[in-house]
Amino acid sequence: AQSVTQLDSQVPVFEEAPVELRCNYSSSVSVYLFWYVQYPNQGLQLLLKYLSGSTLVKGINGFEAEFNKSQTSFHLRKPSVHISDTAEYFCAVLSGGYQKVTFGTGTKLQVIP
Amino acid sequence: DTAVSQTPKYLVTQMGNDKSIKCEQNLGHDTMYWYKQDSKKFLKIMFSYNNKELIINETVPNRFSPKSPDKAHLNLHINSLELGDSAVYFCASSLTRNTEAFFGQGTRLTVV
């Protein structure tokens, strides 16, 4: 089975401060990992993805994530957030042999001016 | 040029009615999906089609019936709507079954 845990439902952070959104996954086989962002009243937009290769993945809008196989984690980071980063962020996993992506419960990032 | 488009964006209807949501993708993808997002933002897959063939059918009531007339379209028909069906429904597509999904803007369904 595959599952994703996003422990933080809300993360408040001041503008220009760094942020880390945590994601842990569970799977017995190789995985593909994704981070999506959802702005209010919009669909999900892919931020970045890990398929293979380098464990540090860079995405759009200055975000990056690091795949850590031993800790089964794929945390999302940004060194300096902007007001416009206020949104819901979803981590997702796709395991080998599965044909569907499982999403985490989401983390709401609130950037405080 | 919208990649995955779904209509309508908003749908308000009474209990017991039947309604449809349409989805089209112009990305040339093989796989399409319907997801349901509840009020707590939890996303759950409902159906997945690959080249017009149903490959995933989660535990969804029989009142929900997807139809894929061709690879670029996946519509969702819902019979006898219930209050609990109120949610945002997202259509998505991916190049293959094992690649990232691209989402539409969502259809907010409200059953009153």
Side-chain angles (χ1 to χ4, degrees):
Chain A
Q2 62 180 22
S3 65
V4 179
T5 302
Q6 292 181 249
L7 286 173
D8 306 307
S9 59
Q10 292 191 57
V11 173
V13 62
F14 286 103
E15 194 173 15
E16 297 184 8
V19 70
E20 178 180 84
L21 304 184
R22 297 182 293 168
C23 173
N24 287 89
Y25 68 91
S26 172
S27 173
S28 57
V29 294
S30 61
V31 295
Y32 300 152
L33 292 156
F34 310 92
W35 274 100
Y36 284 84
V37 60
Q38 184 179 26
Y39 299 104
N41 297 317
Q42 292 191 27
L44 280 74
Q45 179 184 3
L46 183 70
L47 268 181
L48 47 80
K49 61 185 177 183
Y50 171 79
L51 303 180
S52 63
S54 173
T55 56
L56 184 61
V57 180
K58 292 193 183 296
I60 62 171
N61 301 341
F63 283 92
E64 64 180 31
E66 185 155 18
F67 170 60
N68 188 320
K69 189 174 181 179
S70 62
Q71 297 186 8
T72 59
S73 67
F74 190 55
H75 300 332
L76 181 71
R77 301 186 185 101
K78 186 169 182 178
S80 176
V81 295
H82 302 288
I83 292 289
S84 59
D85 293 323
T86 295
E88 192 91 24
Y89 291 80
F90 293 91
C91 182
V93 63
L94 175 63
S95 301
Y98 277 77
Q99 296 178 15
K100 63 176 183 178
V101 172
T102 298
F103 283 84
T105 49
T107 297
K108 185 169 185 177
L109 175 62
Q110 296 171 301
V111 180
I112 305 162
Chain B
D1 213 19
T2 307
V4 181
S5 60
Q6 48 183 114
T7 54
K9 190 171 171 69
Y10 299 96
L11 188 51
V12 181
T13 188
Q14 290 186 326
M15 282 174 55
N17 284 351
D18 303 338
K19 290 293 177 186
S20 292
I21 306 172
K22 295 186 175 182
C23 179
E24 176 183 6
Q25 55 97 0
N26 63 6
L27 298 167
H29 288 170
D30 283 348
T31 309
M32 294 187 73
Y33 313 84
W34 277 109
Y35 281 87
K36 179 180 179 180
Q37 186 175 47
D38 63 23
S39 57
K40 295 185 178 179
K41 300 285 188 181
F42 183 65
L43 264 170
K44 186 170 168 46
I45 192 167
M46 300 172 69
F47 302 103
S48 174
Y49 272 73
N50 189 66
N51 280 318
K52 300 196 301 174
E53 180 186 346
L54 180 67
I55 56 171
I56 292 174
N57 185 348
E58 292 293 290
T59 49
V60 176
N62 291 337
R63 299 181 294 104
F64 289 80
S65 54
K67 280 191 173 52
S68 182
D70 55 58
K71 211 171 74 164
H73 295 83
L74 180 61
N75 303 323
L76 182 65
H77 188 76
I78 316 169
N79 289 326
S80 303
L81 279 154
E82 300 177 358
L83 292 176
D85 298 331
S86 295
V88 181
Y89 293 84
F90 286 102
C91 177
S93 72
S94 60
L95 184 63
T96 69
R97 304 178 195 186
N98 295 317
T99 53
E100 69 272 21
F102 291 78
F103 283 78
Q105 294 297 294
T107 296
R108 183 175 294 275
L109 172 65
T110 304
V111 183
V112 297

